[in-house]
Amino acid sequence: MKWIPFNPDWQQFAEPALPSPKSTLREKQPDSPEKCKVVIAEDDAVSRELVSSLLRSWNFDVLVTRDGSEALEALRAQRAPTLAVLDWMMPALDGLEVCRRVRAMDKLVYILLLTARTAKEQLVEGLQAGADDYLTKPFNKEELHARLKAGLRVLMLQAALAKRVEQLEAALEENRSLKLQLPL
């Protein structure tokens, strides 16, 4: 039997749109770039500018949209962002509908709802619609940054797990083919 040790080189599992695991899993220096692509969907111009300025100051590659339709279009792109910060109440498509449609596409996107809705029932509704996290306005900028970094860790672990599953499936197939070659 061929054993496959689980000592992954985390660097090899990083997806192109994600930062390197080594730089994400340990505390970053203030000037170290993350350069993860993130889409912001916010219909209020002041909030949109505030959030996008913060994310740029944290070295995220920011794509700004004004409503859910634009955000969904960005998330459907071939090199789509892997993080999304969505307002709940927006024209065209609201944040919940964007969550539902992204989940229906089966794309790997970490979605944070950033909203003025504060009731626990609304938090539950947002998470059930497909959001991974929920933060209410007004928000603390350090908390937003911490939640986005946590989202990056989740994305990297999912990418590493998917790569590992591929390796295990290949090993299983090799094992099956070797069994067929054994004389009975």
Side-chain angles (χ1 to χ4, degrees):
M1 173 180 272
K2 181 177 176 183
W3 291 97
I4 302 173
F6 186 66
N7 298 326
D9 173 12
W10 293 103
Q11 185 69 35
Q12 78 183 26
F13 299 126
E15 301 229 349
L18 296 176
S20 74
K22 290 178 182 175
S23 67
T24 300
L25 291 177
R26 69 173 94 108
E27 275 305 309
K28 288 185 171 29
Q29 301 304 317
D31 60 345
S32 66
E34 295 185 32
K35 284 304 173 195
C36 178
K37 199 181 228 182
V38 57
V39 63
I40 297 170
E42 173 62 66
D43 61 322
D44 177 66
V46 174
S47 296
R48 189 170 55 238
E49 183 57 33
L50 173 67
V51 174
S52 65
S53 294
L54 281 172
L55 270 63
R56 284 188 181 102
S57 74
W58 298 327
N59 293 316
F60 285 95
D61 182 8
V62 179
L63 174 60
V64 180
T65 62
R66 295 171 299 203
D67 61 40
S69 294
E70 288 180 8
L72 189 59
E73 184 178 327
L75 292 167
R76 284 183 172 151
Q78 185 156 355
R79 303 226 1 115
T82 53
L83 281 173
V85 178
L86 308 176
D87 185 21
W88 183 319
M89 298 174 285
M90 295 183 288
L93 291 177
D94 66 18
L96 293 188
E97 188 58 30
V98 174
C99 288
R100 288 183 194 102
R101 292 186 186 190
V102 167
R103 296 304 174 222
M105 291 187 301
D106 201 30
K107 278 195 148 186
L108 187 59
V109 179
Y110 190 88
I111 301 173
L112 185 143
L113 275 177
L114 184 60
T115 180
R117 295 184 174 216
T118 59
K120 290 293 180 195
E121 298 81 19
Q122 293 165 329
L123 180 143
V124 170
E125 185 180 0
L127 295 174
Q128 287 177 338
D132 297 297
D133 204 350
Y134 193 99
L135 188 59
T136 58
K137 298 176 189 176
F139 61 90
N140 176 285
K141 67 181 184 177
E142 286 82 18
E143 183 179 3
L144 174 62
H145 194 200
R147 288 175 183 266
L148 291 172
K149 288 168 52 173
L152 288 174
R153 287 192 302 272
V154 168
L155 289 169
M156 287 185 14
L157 290 170
Q158 286 176 326
L161 181 59
K163 182 69 174 172
R164 193 68 182 145
V165 167
E166 286 177 19
Q167 292 173 338
L168 291 171
E169 287 173 344
L172 179 62
E173 188 56 40
E174 180 182 353
N175 190 4
R176 285 182 181 144
S177 70
L178 289 174
K179 280 184 181 179
L180 293 175
Q181 294 175 10
L182 291 175
L184 298 176

